[in-house]
Every structure is written in C-alpha cells, then in structure tokens.
C-alpha cells in the first residue's frame, strides 16, 4: 500500500534507537524526509547514516535534549514546519510511590508531558495552515493499565493523553490528527532495563525477569519494533485522516479492557 506521504517532513524525537528508531525507519521507507534525535551526537549520527543506507531517504541528525528549550529549538531549526511529529522520550524509572521525590515528579512531568506538549504547540499552526498534520505520541500501556511501581509514567503520560485528546477535537477539521501509541513489552533496551529493575524489586534472576515479561503477554512473545513502526507509519499516512484522538494498544492482545 502506498501511504501517500512521500516527500513529507517528519520530526521523530528520541529516535536513535528503540521504538523511536523503528518509527523513523518505517517513515523513511515511505519516502518521508526524517529528522532524528538523540542526546549522544555520535550515536544519533550513526543512526542517521544507518537509516540512509537502509532506506535511501534524506535523514538529518540532531543531537538535542527535548526536555530543554535549547534542545527543542535545535530540533525546530532543523525542520521548522514538519508535517509529522512523533513525540517520544525515555520513560521514568520504576519506583515505589513513597520513594518518589519532588525532583523525580518534576523530571517525569517535564519529560513525558510538558516537553511533547510544547513541541505540539510549536508545529500545530503550520499543520493547520497546510491542512495536513499527523501527531503521534508514544506513551505507554501504563496510561490505561497503571501499576503501583509505574506511577511516574502513568501520571505524566495520562496528562499528556488528556491534553491532546481535547486538542484533537479542535484540529480534526483541518486534517490534523493526534493519536497515541501505547506499547507493552517490545524487545528493546527499555525492557532490559525493566527486567533489571524487577530483579531488584522481586529478588529474582535476569532470566526469570525476562521470562515473566514474555508470560505477561497474551501472544506469548515480546513485540518486534518493526511492528510498532508499521503502525506508526500507517497512522501518519494519507489514509488515516479519519482516525484521531485514539489510544492504540500494541501489546500482543494483552489489554484486558473492553474500551
């Protein structure tokens, strides 16, 4: 299927690896010109070179911290008016509620709610003017299925989701869509981090922690990042203009709710 987005411009945050990388790759394969981002200059430049080799697309690397005003300015200087914005950032570390400090709350909300909202605000007027825009927030299954040790992630990302839901109602008439991808247990470095946290929290081995991750998924396996990227690319496509304000679970059929 031709997704109808060849030649579009995309800003993909936190995309030198993991699910951000998977989204950038899927978009680049569709002929989208992609700006990728990471904090480590060498790593993001290598990621950009790999993407160019894999896809032949135009890829720009920007080393920047999206949680800072300077970092966001650097990204927007590279692509002032993107047609596609993929909001993404590393999630907070697991922590028991009583152990969460004031600083941890501020960092989580700043990184996983405020920073993406500020990027959305920066690019939205241009999308409305051009009558085309696709905004995807990579959030977490914790938005709809919170866990006690994931309070930071659930709170910040639920706030992001609520703010964008209201906004989606206003901009849909301009062919600007806003959707959220809620991953659960994709085979990335994040799940390795979560396994090591579980080792400490539950006094189990690494192999046991990884086995429990797999057992928690109805499909009986971890997700492949390419599966995530494919869904992201479709939601950014010309065919997805009637889908907006949605939380889309990518979890191997594990979400227990009806709606």
């Amino acid at each position: 299927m031709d997704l109808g987005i060849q030649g579009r411009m995309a800003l993909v945050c936190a995309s030198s690896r993991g699910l951000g990388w998977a989204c950038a790759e899927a978009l680049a394969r569709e002929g989208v010109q992609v700006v990728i981002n990471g904090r480590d200059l060498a790593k993001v430049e290598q990621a950009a070179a790999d993407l160019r080799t894999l896809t032949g697309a135009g890829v720009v690397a920007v080393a920047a911290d999206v949680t800072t005003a300077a970092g966001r300015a650097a990204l927007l200087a590279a692509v002032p008016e993107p047609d596609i914005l993929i909001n993404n950032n590393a999630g907070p570390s697991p922590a028991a509620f009583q152990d969460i400090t004031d600083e941890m709350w501020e960092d989580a909300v700043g990184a996983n709610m405020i920073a993406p909202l500020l990027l959305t605000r920066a690019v939205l007027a241009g999308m409305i003017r051009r009558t085309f825009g696709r905004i995807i927030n990579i959030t977490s299954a914790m938005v709809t299925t919170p866990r006690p040790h994931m309070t930071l992630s659930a709170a910040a990302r639920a706030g992001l989701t609520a703010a964008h839901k209201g906004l989606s109602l206003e901009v849909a008439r301009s062919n600007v869509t806003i959707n959220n991808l809620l991953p659960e247990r994709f085979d990335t470095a994040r799940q390795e981090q979560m396994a090591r946290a579980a080792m400490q929290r539950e006094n189990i081995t690494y192999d046991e922690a990884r086995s429990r991750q797999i057992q928690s998924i109805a499909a009986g396996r971890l997700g492949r990042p390419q599966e995530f990227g494919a869904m992201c690319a479709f939601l950014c496509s010309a065919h997805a203009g009637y889908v907006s304000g949605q939380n889309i679970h990518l979890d191997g059929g594990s979400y227990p709710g009806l709606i």
Side-chain angles (χ1 to χ4, degrees):
M1 177 187 291
D2 180 359
L3 296 187
I5 50 177
Q6 184 172 1
R8 296 286 186 183
M9 298 291 297
L11 170 55
V12 187
C13 298
S15 47
S16 62
R17 63 178 184 170
L19 298 181
W21 158 270
C23 292
E25 180 186 6
L27 291 170
R29 289 189 184 279
E30 294 298 322
V32 175
Q33 307 299 299
V34 179
V35 172
I36 69 168
N37 160 243
R39 298 185 186 188
D40 185 302
L41 178 60
K43 289 180 180 179
V44 74
E45 286 185 340
Q46 183 60 59
D50 292 343
L51 270 181
R52 294 185 200 107
T53 300
L54 283 170
T55 68
V59 182
V60 175
V62 178
D65 180 353
V66 300
T67 67
T68 68
R72 292 188 294 273
L75 290 170
L76 294 169
V79 54
E81 292 199 333
D83 304 295
I84 295 166
L85 170 64
I86 311 299
N87 279 316
N88 184 36
N89 208 349
S93 296
F97 179 77
Q98 295 292 350
D99 295 334
I100 300 173
T101 65
D102 293 2
E103 183 179 15
M104 290 166 68
W105 275 115
E106 291 169 2
D107 288 347
V109 172
N112 298 118
M113 186 177 79
I114 295 174
L117 282 170
L118 293 178
L119 281 173
T120 293
R121 184 180 68 183
V123 305
L124 196 59
M127 291 179 174
I128 293 170
R129 185 177 66 253
R130 295 188 302 275
T131 65
F132 184 93
R134 300 289 185 263
I135 298 172
I136 305 290
N137 299 307
I138 300 177
T139 62
S140 169
M142 296 301 104
V143 170
T144 56
T145 54
R147 296 291 184 267
H149 61 287
M150 296 299 290
T151 299
L152 286 169
S153 177
R157 286 165 162 163
L160 177 71
T161 301
H164 276 96
K165 176 63 177 180
L167 183 60
S168 71
L169 301 173
E170 183 177 43
V171 301
R173 66 182 66 242
S174 299
N175 190 31
V176 176
T177 67
I178 303 174
N179 291 291
N180 310 297
L181 294 179
L182 283 60
E184 175 73 290
R185 304 297 191 199
F186 277 80
D187 195 7
T188 66
R190 173 67 168 173
Q191 287 309 308
E192 293 180 10
Q193 176 198 10
M194 297 298 288
R196 298 193 185 282
M199 290 171 60
Q200 300 297 319
R201 188 174 64 250
E202 301 172 27
N203 194 29
I204 58 177
T205 68
Y206 178 77
D207 287 344
E208 287 174 321
R210 291 291 276 181
S211 177
R212 289 184 186 185
Q213 287 180 341
I214 292 169
Q215 291 170 11
S216 73
I217 300 299
R221 65 175 176 86
L222 299 181
R224 294 185 290 271
Q226 294 84 353
E227 295 172 305
F228 191 91
M231 177 61 77
C232 179
F234 176 75
L235 288 174
C236 293
S237 76
H239 309 297
Y242 211 57
V243 181
S244 193
Q246 302 303 306
N247 286 315
I248 299 170
H249 289 265
L250 291 94
D251 59 5
S254 301
Y255 176 60
L258 181 62
I259 56 174

